[in-house]
Amino acid sequence: MKKIIALLLASLMLCAAIPALAQEISCPPGGFSLTVPDSFSPVSPMPQDQDLVFAWQGGGISLHGYATAMSGKVRFNDLYQILTGQETESGSLTIRGVDMLYARGSDQRGPYALYIWMHKNVRVELYFYYQSRNDLLDIDEMIHSLVLN
């Protein structure tokens, strides 16, 4: 009986420690933050692209964030997404109250999941490049941790 209680306590402590194995990262130009695994670190040096404001990687996932200031009043209906025919899935969805477009596909860098939304007249695009389909569960957790600032 003592072994069962010890096993239950150990598993409970492990479950409590798992959320601590995450870090919140912020992107001030895009006006958002995400929770990612502790294994993620900023890409250094960051690739040269004037709209690329956020680059992190960890495990088999590489995360690139682009923020582009838009002029005038821009609404979700004004968002556009250029589809190349290499997408396996695309559409619109709402995550934590944020209406966005999404696509999954593959390009010269490999398979990706893309999310696009508007926040305070800034068009934000997040590209998650990944290596295996198992990474999609981690990507789903990360995008569902989205908080707008």
Side-chain angles (χ1 to χ4, degrees), residues 103-124:
R104 285 186 24 208
S106 187
D107 63 16
Q108 68 274 10
R109 292 188 207 161
Y112 67 85
L114 165 65
Y115 299 89
I116 303 170
W117 69 89
M118 291 297 300
H119 180 61
K120 297 181 181 178
N121 278 3
V122 174
R123 175 188 167 93
V124 179

Side-chain angles (χ1 to χ4, degrees), residues 24-90:
E24 184 174 304
I25 56 176
S26 181
C27 178
F32 70 91
S33 61
L34 292 173
T35 300
V36 300
D38 273 345
S39 62
F40 270 60
S41 59
V43 172
S44 182
M46 202 154 112
Q48 295 301 313
D49 184 330
Q50 74 181 40
D51 291 333
L52 179 64
V53 294
F54 191 71
W56 288 74
Q57 62 188 16
I61 301 172
S62 175
L63 170 56
H64 293 166
Y66 298 83
T68 307
M70 308 297 283
S71 61
K73 180 75 175 146
V74 183
R75 300 177 311 272
F76 174 75
N77 292 341
D78 298 326
L79 274 180
Y80 62 90
Q81 183 175 30
I82 298 173
L83 301 176
T84 63
Q86 297 175 316
E87 296 79 17
T88 57
E89 185 180 341
S90 66

